[in-house]
Amino acid sequence: MLTISYLGLLAGLALLVFMTMRGIGIIFSAIVCAILVALTSGLDLSIAMLDYYMKGFTGFFTTWFPAILLGAIFGRLMDDSGAALAIANKSKQVLGAKRAIMAVVGAGAILTYGGVSVFVVGFTLYPIAFELFRSANIAHRFIPAAIIFGSISFTMVSPGSPEIQNLIPTTYFGTTATAGGIIGVLMGLLIMVSGGYALKWMANRATARGENFDLPADYGEAAVSKESAVSFISAITPLIILVGGFNLLSHYIPVIEALLVAMIASLTIGYLLFIKTINSPGKMISTGSENALIAIANTCAVVGFGAVAAQSPAFGNIVAVLTNMPGLEYAGLAVAVTVIAGITGSASGGLGIALPILAPIYQSMGLDNGAMHRISAIASGGLDSLPHNGYVVTTIRAICKETHQRAYPAVFLVSVLIPLPVLAIAVLLYSLFY
């Protein structure tokens, strides 16, 4: 049965990747793959789907929907008002076309560290990136990597980030968003610097080989950038309120409550600042709400799949091996979160599945909660960015109209190959000093 369970788990993952790559919706794909895992693991199908799957789905929804809803509306506020565009244009103005990659990464980091949805960031940054890369004659296929690196790498795992990947561990370790100390800050900086240089090196090599700014064969109409009526200072004010207020309040009230209060404050101030440039507040709220439902439903579907997978004999065996590594407890936690995030193709989904199971086990070993928080966050941002990751697929295909064949190698370099060694360094440092 154990062998069949392993085969079923691998087959379920492979099928999930295949169906996602073929453009089949993740909600339907996750259900089909969960059924496959349940059948090959000897689980009662009705219990697996109506109990395990639905508890995973609804549990994640109950905990995170309010924050994701406010975040999505905040993202629409920043986008509809022109504030996000103002930030992107400022990066373009300060850094110039010669530093196109740095400008795109920097603008993405500011927006996502300010709590703006990564999907909003992608659509907002692309017209700016298009102009910058065309001016610098950098191959178009590197634009997805620049956008993805600036929005889901160091920004979502660094101390103080209001992104959900940095907040989920607070629920299970009783920590704040700044957990992990100076080592966490250094690891975020290491990802940022090494990934930035790696992407620039890869683009320079392509240019040296004679590769120019070229569009994919089926690209269609070119992107057109525009100016924003919002000043840069006004644009970043809600972000400062959100990040600063959140990190201040999280030391006095529960983290999720701190995030909600900070988001409401930033939404209120942002609306008052941008009221003249928002054409339809009602449409902004309704669109943001719809985006929130789509985003959380996709993640909940993946968490549901993982909840079924977590009941399989194969998964139990994997956890037993990883949690019985004498002297390598932090490494076991890191590997477990990394593997589960890779299976689900989602950093938040992987954390939502792994930590309810693993956190009590490792806490009973007397490990430092802050260290476990930061290791878990960093670990979620490695194998999650495999080709079937929803944001990766959206950025490459829908936003940039590229292909995986052209664009994914650079994405893989900055979102998988760079974070994994940094994770290993983090494990070593936390093992030595915590």
Side-chain angles (χ1 to χ4, degrees):
M1 175 57 72
L2 184 59
T3 301
I4 296 176
S5 180
Y6 268 109
L7 291 175
L9 187 59
L10 291 174
L13 172 60
L15 182 60
L16 182 61
V17 172
F18 175 78
M19 294 178 74
T20 305
M21 294 282 285
R22 298 292 294 178
I24 300 173
I26 190 64
I27 295 177
F28 176 77
S29 301
I31 291 174
V32 171
C33 296
I35 291 173
L36 174 60
V37 172
L39 292 175
T40 55
S41 297
L43 303 177
D44 182 280
L45 190 58
S46 62
I47 295 177
M49 300 308 298
L50 299 179
D51 187 3
Y52 304 146
Y53 184 90
M54 289 311 302
K55 280 185 177 178
F57 190 107
T58 58
F60 193 89
F61 187 96
T62 300
T63 302
W64 295 108
F65 181 66
I68 291 176
L69 174 63
L70 291 176
I73 295 174
F74 180 72
R76 293 312 312 169
L77 171 71
M78 296 293 290
D79 192 22
D80 293 355
S81 65
L85 184 62
I87 293 172
N89 281 334
K90 187 66 174 180
S91 295
K92 170 186 173 183
Q93 176 187 340
V94 172
L95 297 173
K98 291 183 178 180
R99 297 181 178 86
I101 293 175
M102 187 184 301
V104 175
V105 172
I110 292 172
L111 290 171
T112 50
Y113 208 87
V116 179
S117 165
V118 292
F119 292 97
V120 173
V121 172
F123 282 105
T124 301
L125 279 184
Y126 179 67
I128 305 299
F130 187 95
E131 284 193 359
L132 287 169
F133 277 58
R134 179 166 57 184
S135 299
N137 198 28
I138 300 173
H140 180 273
R141 65 185 179 91
F142 292 109
I143 292 179
I147 293 175
I148 289 170
F149 180 63
S151 55
I152 68 168
S153 55
F154 57 94
T155 50
M156 74 179 189
V157 303
S158 298
S161 172
E163 293 296 326
I164 191 172
Q165 293 80 5
N166 187 44
L167 301 186
I168 292 175
T170 65
T171 304
Y172 301 101
F173 296 119
T175 49
T176 66
T178 56
I182 188 63
I183 294 177
V185 175
L186 292 175
M187 294 304 99
L189 291 173
L190 183 57
I191 294 174
M192 179 181 70
V193 174
S194 57
Y197 274 106
L199 183 55
K200 184 178 179 181
W201 169 79
M202 199 172 187
N204 287 342
R205 284 191 63 196
T207 301
R209 292 195 303 266
E211 191 172 345
N212 300 312
F213 183 84
D214 59 328
L215 297 175
D218 300 327
Y219 182 83
E221 186 178 353
V224 178
S225 185
K226 57 183 179 180
E227 295 300 320
S228 173
V230 176
S231 70
F232 175 71
I233 297 300
S234 295
I236 64 171
T237 298
L239 303 184
I240 294 172
I241 292 172
L242 175 56
V243 177
F246 162 65
N247 281 286
L248 177 64
L249 290 171
S250 64
H251 290 283
Y252 302 100
I253 61 177
V255 170
I256 296 179
E257 292 180 18
L259 179 63
L260 296 179
V261 172
M263 279 189 166
I264 291 171
S266 61
L267 274 168
T268 302
I269 297 299
Y271 179 75
L272 293 175
L273 286 172
F274 310 143
I275 190 169
K276 293 182 179 179
T277 59
I278 299 173
N279 294 324
S280 176
K283 183 178 179 181
M284 177 191 76
I285 294 173
S286 62
T287 303
S289 300
E290 291 169 4
N291 291 343
L293 284 171
I294 293 171
I296 197 168
N298 288 338
T299 302
C300 286
V302 172
V303 173
F305 165 78
V308 175
Q311 299 298 321
S312 68
F315 186 92
N317 191 60
I318 292 171
V319 170
V321 171
L322 293 174
T323 54
N324 286 281
M325 299 169 62
L328 298 173
E329 291 82 5
Y330 285 129
L333 175 63
V335 172
V337 173
T338 299
V339 170
I340 295 171
I343 289 174
T344 61
S346 168
S348 56
L351 287 169
I353 294 163
L355 295 188
I357 300 169
L358 299 176
I361 296 174
Y362 285 101
Q363 284 178 314
S364 68
M365 299 178 186
L367 301 181
D368 183 81
N369 283 315
M372 289 191 289
H373 173 132
R374 193 54 50 203
I375 286 173
S376 298
I378 297 173
S380 73
L383 294 182
D384 71 306
S385 300
L386 292 176
H388 62 296
N389 176 280
Y391 182 54
V392 169
V393 173
T394 299
T395 302
I396 291 177
R397 295 185 176 182
I399 297 176
C400 300
K401 300 179 178 64
E402 273 287 354
T403 65
H404 271 68
Q405 288 77 11
R406 281 168 50 97
Y408 188 72
V411 173
F412 182 76
L413 172 67
V414 297
S415 65
V416 178
L417 290 185
I418 294 296
L420 289 179
V422 174
L423 173 62
I425 295 172
V427 168
L428 176 61
L429 292 176
Y430 282 119
S431 298
L432 291 174
F433 298 107
Y434 278 75

